[in-house]
Amino acid sequence: MRAATKKPHTDEKMVKLTIRVQKKNVSKIRDYVRAVEIGEERNYTVAEVFPEYIGKEQKIVLRAYRTRQGLTQKEISKMTGIPQRHISEMENGKRGIGKERAKLLADALQVSDYRVFL
């Protein structure tokens, strides 16, 4: 004979979410959650979300698009003919990208405007 078990009450529309964030970000997270709950749509700039990357946008863009496509530096290298070490240097701000390479990268990463890499 099966014993009756108590299941916690569940509300199928609500989910409990537990996250760990740095103390300095708690108010930002709370504000964002409130905005989501009331249906407020807001766009956030990269500077608001990642202030530590201000001034480093060029290398962030290349790595972000590559990651979004799920590609490795080696795969991008094969697609574009740009040596893998140069891609690494571009992502780390040690090498400029240049117009021709920006066009190659844009094609490989399916980016409509190559100028985002410049």
Side-chain angles (χ1 to χ4, degrees):
M1 186 172 191
R2 287 188 169 172
T5 59
K6 277 192 170 180
K7 290 185 177 180
H9 174 71
T10 58
D11 181 352
E12 293 180 19
K13 293 182 181 181
M14 299 296 286
V15 175
K16 182 176 181 177
L17 179 64
T18 304
I19 61 172
R20 292 180 57 154
V21 298
Q22 294 179 3
K23 287 183 181 183
K24 67 181 182 179
N25 294 325
V26 170
S27 64
K28 291 178 187 176
I29 299 296
R30 283 186 180 141
D31 291 344
Y32 179 73
V33 169
R34 280 189 209 105
V36 168
E37 287 298 312
I38 62 172
E40 177 183 303
E41 290 192 32
R42 181 176 188 272
N43 293 322
Y44 293 85
T45 65
V46 171
E48 286 178 291
V49 180
F50 302 107
E52 64 272 21
Y53 292 118
I54 294 173
K56 302 176 184 177
E57 290 85 357
Q58 180 182 356
K59 62 184 177 183
I60 294 169
V61 168
L62 176 54
R63 184 174 290 138
Y65 278 111
R66 179 178 61 77
T67 303
R68 181 183 76 177
Q69 295 294 331
L71 298 169
T72 65
Q73 291 178 351
K74 194 171 192 170
E75 291 169 328
I76 293 293
S77 174
K78 287 179 183 177
M79 295 168 74
T80 61
I82 300 170
Q84 183 270 325
R85 109 176 154 273
H86 291 191
I87 292 171
S88 175
E89 291 170 352
M90 287 184 262
E91 286 186 0
N92 290 299
K94 296 178 181 175
R95 176 181 292 270
I97 293 180
K99 187 176 180 179
E100 294 307 313
R101 285 188 171 173
K103 288 179 180 180
L104 290 171
L105 291 166
D107 287 341
L109 296 169
Q110 301 172 1
V111 177
S112 60
D113 187 1
Y114 72 91
R115 293 175 291 184
V116 299
F117 298 110
L118 301 176

